[in-house]
Amino acid sequence: MAPTSREKLATLFNSAKFAADVPSKLEILRRLRRQIPPEDPVILAEFLPSLFEFLSDQFSPVRKFVAEMVGEIGLKNTEFLPDIVPVLIEVLDDDTPAVVRQVLLLGIDLFRSTLEKIAVQGLYSSDLDSALESAWEWMVKFKDKVYSIAFQNGSGGARLLALKFVEAVIRLYTPDPNGSLEPTTHQGLKPQQKIFPS
């Protein structure tokens, strides 16, 4: 990536940081979302910490939007999950239910995607690569945190989505009774594609 592009990203981050109102901050973040190369590990490693700062922004719509951005990066770049998931675990304690709901929704996709990658890699090798193993360890910690939300007393949208997360995990671990026990010949799956049909 050319230095001018890096400078452009840095400028957008600074503009978003100092924007005074929600609409202008969100507009800058939308431009930033279009500019960040989604699968460039060097750029992502450089700018991901700056993106994390917006998860504690004073405006909840900004936190919700950035949680969505971070989730998209995690789906495309498993190697960043050990950096992303601890931050998302903290965001599960956010005071705004919409932000927590966003993190729970993307958590379902991240958990499914990571488990699928482990399953596919396991078809061809008895060893997991260290990045995927670390990502899985963090996804298990995320699952434990969500379970604590799902099984606490009370009601609310966050608890309902946490229960949906639990349901999704159960479905992922439940084999299809009509499915074959033979390994498939998949070379890879799309993030939303299921290994274990519901």
Side-chain angles (χ1 to χ4, degrees):
M1 176 172 266
T4 53
S5 297
R6 248 190 189 87
E7 289 167 11
K8 186 175 183 180
L9 288 174
T11 300
L12 284 171
F13 271 106
N14 284 332
S15 298
K17 185 185 272 190
F18 296 112
D21 58 77
V22 174
S24 57
K25 191 171 277 203
L26 286 175
E27 179 53 37
I28 295 166
L29 288 170
R30 283 187 193 97
R31 281 192 287 160
L32 190 58
R33 181 189 219 169
R34 290 189 296 269
Q35 295 293 321
I36 291 180
E39 294 171 356
D40 183 334
V42 175
I43 294 296
L44 289 173
E46 185 177 334
F47 287 101
L48 205 52
S50 298
L51 194 57
F52 290 157
E53 290 177 21
F54 290 101
L55 289 170
S56 57
D57 191 86
Q58 63 176 325
F59 302 119
S60 62
V62 170
R63 298 194 305 272
K64 181 178 182 288
F65 182 80
V66 171
E68 186 180 331
M69 283 179 67
V70 167
E72 289 171 0
I73 291 169
L75 281 171
K76 293 176 182 169
N77 304 277
T78 307
E79 69 272 20
F80 288 107
L81 286 180
D83 300 315
I84 290 172
V85 177
V87 175
L88 294 179
I89 289 172
E90 288 180 28
V91 178
L92 285 171
D93 292 323
D94 194 285
D95 292 336
T96 305
V99 176
V100 176
R101 286 194 298 269
Q102 180 63 51
V103 173
L104 287 168
L105 286 172
L106 69 91
I108 292 170
D109 291 337
L110 289 172
F111 190 90
R112 178 184 296 123
S113 172
T114 308
L115 181 59
E116 288 173 354
K117 288 174 183 166
I118 287 171
V120 169
Q121 195 173 100
L123 290 174
Y124 302 101
S125 170
S126 59
D127 295 323
L128 289 179
D129 67 58
S130 60
L132 189 54
E133 189 173 350
S134 181
W136 181 246
E137 288 171 6
W138 277 104
M139 288 313 308
V140 169
K141 290 176 184 178
F142 183 87
K143 174 189 71 82
D144 293 342
K145 173 70 173 181
V146 174
Y147 275 36
S148 72
I149 295 169
F151 298 113
Q152 69 187 2
N153 291 330
S155 60
R159 183 169 180 261
L160 179 61
L161 275 174
L163 287 168
K164 286 196 173 290
F165 179 95
V166 172
E167 177 190 19
V169 169
I170 290 169
R171 285 176 178 254
L172 284 169
Y173 282 107
T174 304
D176 181 1
N178 301 319
S180 170
L181 295 177
E182 295 299 314
T184 62
T185 58
H186 293 304
Q187 293 297 321
L189 297 173
K190 295 178 183 169
Q192 298 298 324
Q193 195 174 356
K194 290 186 180 179
I195 288 179
F196 307 107
S198 7

